[in-house]
Amino acid sequence: MKKSIFLGMLGLFLTLSCEQKKETSIENKADAPKVIASPKKAEKLVMADAAAILARKEVPILCYHNIKDFSASAGEMTKTYTVKPANFAEQMKALADAGYHSILPDQLYDYLVYNKPLPAKPVMITFDDTRGEQYSIGAAEMKKYNFKGAFFVMTVSINRPNYLSKEEIKNLSDSGNTIAAHTWDHHMVTKYADDDWNTQLVKPKAKLEEIIGKPIPYFAYPFGLWNKEAIPEIKKSGYKMAFILSTKRDSIDPLYTVRRMIVSGTWSTDHMMKSMEATFVNAK
């Protein structure tokens, strides 16, 4: 009997002892200092100077205005600035078949300033002047090839007949395209004075930002015309890159004189492809 009581007491003692050790082990584990992995050090980006930007290989940038049919008797300006819908569709297919990938201004900026990589055979597809068919035909046709574009909007035309509406501009942005500024009413920046800078640069930027809910850091000069006096005003207005047409870039501020090429309505698709390569891909 005594032996039986002794063995029972011994078993209880051992059980309590094990439980105490288990609890101590859990407490010690909870109290142990946590090892936190050090955050990865952010890569320090160094902005390229003008010489480095100018030395980078140029990216082809196409500029479209109107996409609609026109007759053989149309004026030269209409023929130059208007591409027929069938030709536009053919050109988008030709770009896709040739292995081109569309890029947007953010990607171009990062490439020029920080030498970040671009996809193989990059091309930028841009639209000026806010025409409605840029949405109904241009964006719809590009979507077939997963192309995105940059739409330079002059704000005076928003919601007018045959021009982009606020809803279309917002939809373009939400669909992954870039919305950018093209002044209020297309007056040349070379003729601005006094409050013109606010009217043509600052207010349109704020208006577009209100519509899409995103920053507007890019600008295209009306008619592609610029002068050195305009660049400080464009910078001051909050733009970090501006686009001209295919004339000479500025040696001091190449980011504010990025070249584009107007696609003429008189060109065949083959001519467009060859002109693009001659202007950008094979440029010296």
Side-chain angles (χ1 to χ4, degrees), residues 67-69 83-94 137 141 145 267 269:
I67 309 173
K68 62 182 182 180
D69 287 311
V83 174
K84 293 180 178 180
N87 289 352
F88 182 82
E90 193 175 75
Q91 289 166 13
M92 294 301 103
K93 184 177 186 304
I137 300 173
E141 199 62 43
Y145 308 102
W267 292 351
T269 295

Side-chain angles (χ1 to χ4, degrees), residues 128 152 180-183 189 218-224 241-244 260:
D128 285 7
F152 291 93
H182 196 42
T183 73
V189 301
Y218 305 111
F219 173 80
Y221 299 90
F223 309 104
M241 194 159 66
F243 295 79
I244 60 173
R260 299 185 295 161

Side-chain angles (χ1 to χ4, degrees), residues 41-77:
K41 208 170 186 181
E43 181 187 357
K44 189 176 180 182
L45 297 175
V46 179
M47 292 186 70
D49 60 17
I53 290 169
L54 288 166
R56 306 222 198 283
K57 191 172 181 65
E58 285 187 272
V59 171
I61 306 179
L62 305 178
C63 178
Y64 291 93
H65 290 78
N66 303 325
I67 309 173
K68 62 182 182 180
D69 287 311
F70 57 87
S71 66
S73 61
E76 286 307 307
M77 286 291 285

Side-chain angles (χ1 to χ4, degrees), residues 63 74 88 123 128 134-135 187 192-193 198 204 256 263:
C63 178
F88 182 82
V123 64
D128 285 7
Q134 296 172 2
Y135 178 86
H187 279 167
Y192 293 174
N198 185 53
Y256 290 84
V263 179

Side-chain angles (χ1 to χ4, degrees), residues 127-130 150-155 178-184 200-209 215-222 239 241-243 260:
F127 300 86
D128 285 7
D129 298 354
T130 329
F151 293 78
F152 291 93
V153 176
M154 54 181 188
T155 51
T178 294
I179 301 300
H182 196 42
T183 73
W184 176 58
Q200 301 289 352
L201 298 179
V202 178
K203 288 183 177 179
K205 185 178 190 296
K207 178 71 174 175
L208 292 171
E209 288 174 343
I216 302 286
Y218 305 111
F219 173 80
Y221 299 90
Y239 299 100
M241 194 159 66
F243 295 79
R260 299 185 295 161

